[in-house]
C-alpha cells in the first residue's frame, strides 16, 4: 500500500477523535454548562449535520484546486474548529466550534476515499479505503479513550487542544506524503451531479444513513447508559470507549477484506447481526460483562459496513465519484444526527437510557430492507440490459 495512505489515515485519526470524543465527555460537558444530557446530545447532532452540509459545499468549492491542496485546507478548518471549542465560554460557542470542525469531515473522507482508491489497483479499492478509515477506527481505540481520560482528569478543554494538535499532524502528513495528482480532465460539476441519477447510488446512501445511524443511536449515550444502568463508574467509560474503538477497528478490517469480493453479502450479514445485537443491548446493558461484549460487537458490525457502502457508491458513480463519495460521508453523519436526535427523544420521553438501542435496531432493519431492494433492482436491470444489447453476430452481418 502507498505511503500516502498513511497520511490520510493520520488525518482520519484526528477527525475520528473529535467526532467520537463527545460520547465519553458528555456528562462532564453537560455539568459544566448546566445543560441536560439530551441537550448535550446536540453536540453530536450538530457535528453530524455540519458534516452533511459541509460534504457537498466544501467538495464543490474544492473543484478548482488539486485534491491535495483541498485536503490541506480542510485540515486547517478542522484545527480552527477544535481550537474554538477549546475556548468556548458558553454552550452555544462550543456547539459552533463543533460545527466548524465538522465542515471539514465529509469532504476530507470523500476526497480521501477517491485518492486512496486511485492509488491502488481496481481490485484493491475497498482495502485502500478501509486502510484510510483505519485511522478513524484507531481514534476510538487510542484517541478517544485517551481524550476521555484527559477530559475527566484535567478538563475537557485540554482534550480539544490535543485534538487540534492531531489536526496539525494530519496537515503535515498530507503536505509531505500525498502526491500532487491533477484532477481528471473533462470532469465538471454536472458530471459529478449526474451520479445522483443512479438509483443504486441513492440506495447505497440510504443504507449508509440507516445502517451507521443504528450504531450511533446506542453509542451517543453510552456514557450515561453504562454509569446509570450497567453500574460502571465514570472512570470505566475510558476503557469502554477503547473497547468500542477496538470493535470498529476489527470490523473495518474485516469489512475491507471481504468488500472487494462479496459486497452485498457482507452488508446482509453485518446489518442482520447489527439489528440483533442492538435489540439485545437493551437487556445486556443491565450486566457489566455482557454490556462490554455488546459494545465491542456493535462497533465491529457497524464499521464492517463502511468499506462496502463507500465502495458501492464509488463503483456506481463511475467517472465522477468525488461529490458522491463526499455525500456518502455526509450520509453517515446524517444517520448519526438522526440517531442521536431520536435517541435523545426517547430518553427525554422517560423511556430510559437503554431505549436508544431499540431505535438503533429499527434503523438497522430498515437498512437491511434497502439492501434487499438494491439487489432486487440490480438483478432486474441485468436481464433488461442484456435484452437491449445487439448481438455481436448481428453487428457483424450489418457491416
Amino acid at each position: 500500500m502507498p505511503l500516502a495512505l498513511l497520511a490520510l489515515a493520520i488525518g482520519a485519526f484526528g477527525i475520528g477523535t473529535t467526532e467520537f470524543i463527545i460520547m465519553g465527555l458528555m456528562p462532564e460537558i453537560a455539568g459544566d454548562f448546566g445543560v441536560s444530557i439530551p441537550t448535550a446530545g446536540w453536540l453530536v447532532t450538530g457535528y453530524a449535520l455540519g458534516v452533511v452540509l459541509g460534504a457537498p459545499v466544501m467538495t464543490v468549492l474544492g473543484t478548482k484546486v488539486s485534491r491535495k491542496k483541498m485536503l490541506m485546507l480542510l485540515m486547517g478548518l478542522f484545527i480552527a474548529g477544535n481550537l474554538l471549542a477549546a475556548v468556548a465560554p458558553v454552550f452555544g460557542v462550543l456547539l459552533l466550534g463543533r460545527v466548524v470542525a465538522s465542515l471539514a469531515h465529509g469532504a476530507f473522507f470523500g476526497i480521501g476515499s477517491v485518492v486512496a482508491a486511485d492509488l491502488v489497483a481496481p481490485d484493491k479499492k475497498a482495502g485502500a479505503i478501509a486502510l484510510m478509515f483505519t485511522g478513524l477506527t484507531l481514534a476510538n481505540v487510542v484517541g478517544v479513550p485517551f481524550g476521555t481520560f484527559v477530559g475527566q482528569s484535567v478538563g475537557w478543554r485540554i482534550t480539544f487542544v490535543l485534538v487540534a494538535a492531531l489536526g496539525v499532524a494530519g496537515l503535515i502528513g498530507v503536505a509531505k506524503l500525498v502526491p500532487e495528482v491533477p484532477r481528471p480532465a473533462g470532469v465538471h460539476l454536472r458530471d459529478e451531479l449526474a451520479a445522483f441519477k443512479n438509483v443504486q447510488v441513492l440506495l447505497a446512501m440510504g443504507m449508509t444513513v440507516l445502517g451507521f445511524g443504528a450504531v450511533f443511536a446506542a453509542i451517543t449515550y453510552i456514557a450515561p447508559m453504562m454509569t446509570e444502568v450497567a453500574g460502571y463508574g465514570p472512570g470505566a467509560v475510558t476503557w469502554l470507549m477503547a473497547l468500542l474503538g477496538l470493535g470498529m477497528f476489527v470490523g473495518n478490517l474485516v469489512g475491507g477484506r471481504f468488500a472487494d469480493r462479496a459486497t452485498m453479502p457482507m452488508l446482509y450479514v453485518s446489518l442482520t447481526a447489527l439489528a440483533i445485537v442492538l435489540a439485545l443491548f437493551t437487556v445486556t446493558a443491565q450486566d457489566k460483562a455482557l454490556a462490554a461484549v455488546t459494545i465491542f460487537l456493535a462497533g465491529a458490525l457497524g464499521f464492517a459496513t463502511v468499506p462496502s457502502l463507500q465502495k458501492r457508491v464509488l463503483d456506481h458513480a463511475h467517472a465522477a465519484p468525488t461529490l458522491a463519495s463526499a455525500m456518502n460521508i455526509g450520509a453517515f453523519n446524517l444517520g448519526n444526527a438522526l440517531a442521536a436526535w431520536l435517541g435523545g427523544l426517547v430518553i427525554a420521553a422517560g423511556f430510559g437510557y437503554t431505549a436508544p438501542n431499540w431505535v438503533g435496531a429499527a434503523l438497522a432493519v430498515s437498512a437491511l430492507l434497502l439492501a434487499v431492494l438494491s439487489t432486487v433492482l440490480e438483478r432486474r436491470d441485468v436481464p433488461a440490459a442484456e435484452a437491449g444489447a445487439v448481438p455481436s453476430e448481428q453487428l457483424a452481418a450489418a457491416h
Side-chain angles (χ1 to χ4, degrees):
M1 287 290 180
L3 194 59
L5 292 178
L6 174 61
L8 297 175
I10 292 171
F13 182 87
I15 291 175
T17 300
T18 202
E19 179 181 16
F20 293 104
I21 194 66
I22 290 298
M23 285 72 159
L25 297 177
M26 193 173 290
E28 285 75 20
I29 291 174
D32 274 5
F33 287 112
V35 300
S36 67
I37 290 293
T39 298
W42 275 98
L43 295 172
V44 176
T45 302
Y47 185 95
L49 291 176
V51 177
V52 175
L53 174 65
V57 171
M58 300 307 294
T59 302
V60 170
L61 291 176
T63 56
K64 301 300 182 182
V65 300
S66 71
R67 288 168 178 162
K68 175 177 179 174
K69 288 180 180 177
M70 193 60 197
L71 289 172
M72 293 173 64
L73 290 171
L74 291 169
M75 290 310 300
L77 187 63
F78 168 82
I79 294 166
N82 280 286
L83 289 177
L84 178 61
V87 300
V90 295
F91 182 79
V93 176
L94 174 58
L95 180 58
L96 176 62
R98 293 280 293 167
V99 172
V100 170
S102 72
L103 294 176
H105 184 128
F108 183 89
F109 278 105
I111 296 171
S113 293
V114 175
V115 171
D118 286 347
L119 289 171
V120 298
D123 62 340
K124 297 183 182 294
K125 284 185 178 182
I129 294 169
L131 187 56
M132 182 188 71
F133 275 92
T134 296
L136 181 63
T137 57
L138 282 177
N140 289 277
V141 180
V142 180
V144 173
F146 179 72
T148 300
F149 171 76
V150 170
Q152 292 176 342
S153 302
V154 297
W156 56 267
R157 295 180 187 276
I158 302 301
T159 297
F160 280 105
V161 172
L162 294 177
V163 171
L166 288 175
V168 174
L171 175 60
I172 294 172
V174 171
K176 296 292 185 181
L177 300 176
V178 174
E180 192 73 71
V181 180
R183 298 185 60 82
V187 176
H188 304 287
L189 180 59
R190 64 177 178 272
D191 302 307
E192 299 278 358
L193 293 172
F196 298 99
K197 296 179 182 179
N198 189 318
V199 67
Q200 291 295 342
V201 171
L202 299 179
L203 285 172
M205 291 183 177
M207 286 183 267
T208 298
V209 170
L210 299 171
F212 204 69
V215 181
F216 251 70
I219 68 172
T220 295
Y221 303 98
I222 191 172
M225 191 193 310
M226 291 299 98
T227 56
E228 300 295 328
V229 179
Y232 282 109
V237 175
T238 298
W239 70 263
L240 288 170
M241 293 299 291
L243 190 61
L244 173 68
L246 182 61
M248 292 178 173
F249 176 76
V250 172
N252 178 60
L253 292 181
V254 173
R257 180 178 180 83
F258 289 99
D260 282 313
R261 292 181 288 175
T263 303
M264 293 310 294
M266 188 68 208
L267 288 174
Y268 290 145
V269 171
S270 55
L271 289 172
T272 300
L274 179 61
I276 295 171
V277 165
L278 290 178
L280 290 174
F281 201 9
T282 306
V283 177
T284 60
Q286 314 292 330
D287 179 85
K288 289 184 178 180
L290 292 177
V293 172
T294 309
I295 287 170
F296 174 85
L297 291 175
L301 293 168
F303 254 83
T305 67
V306 174
S308 292
L309 290 169
Q310 196 68 7
K311 177 180 180 293
R312 194 159 177 83
V313 168
L314 291 177
D315 287 346
H316 288 282
H318 302 303
T322 307
L323 182 58
S325 176
M327 285 296 290
N328 196 49
I329 301 299
F332 278 109
N333 285 270
L334 178 59
N336 298 351
L338 174 66
W341 176 67
L342 290 174
L345 283 183
V346 295
I347 291 174
F351 291 104
Y353 287 122
T354 61
N357 298 328
W358 285 113
V359 174
L363 291 173
V365 170
S366 301
L368 180 61
L369 293 176
L370 284 187
V372 173
L373 175 60
S374 178
T375 299
V376 170
L377 292 177
E378 199 164 41
R379 289 176 178 173
R380 187 193 67 181
D381 290 342
V382 170
E386 291 175 348
V390 180
S392 57
E393 294 82 1
Q394 293 183 20
L395 285 173
H399 291 284

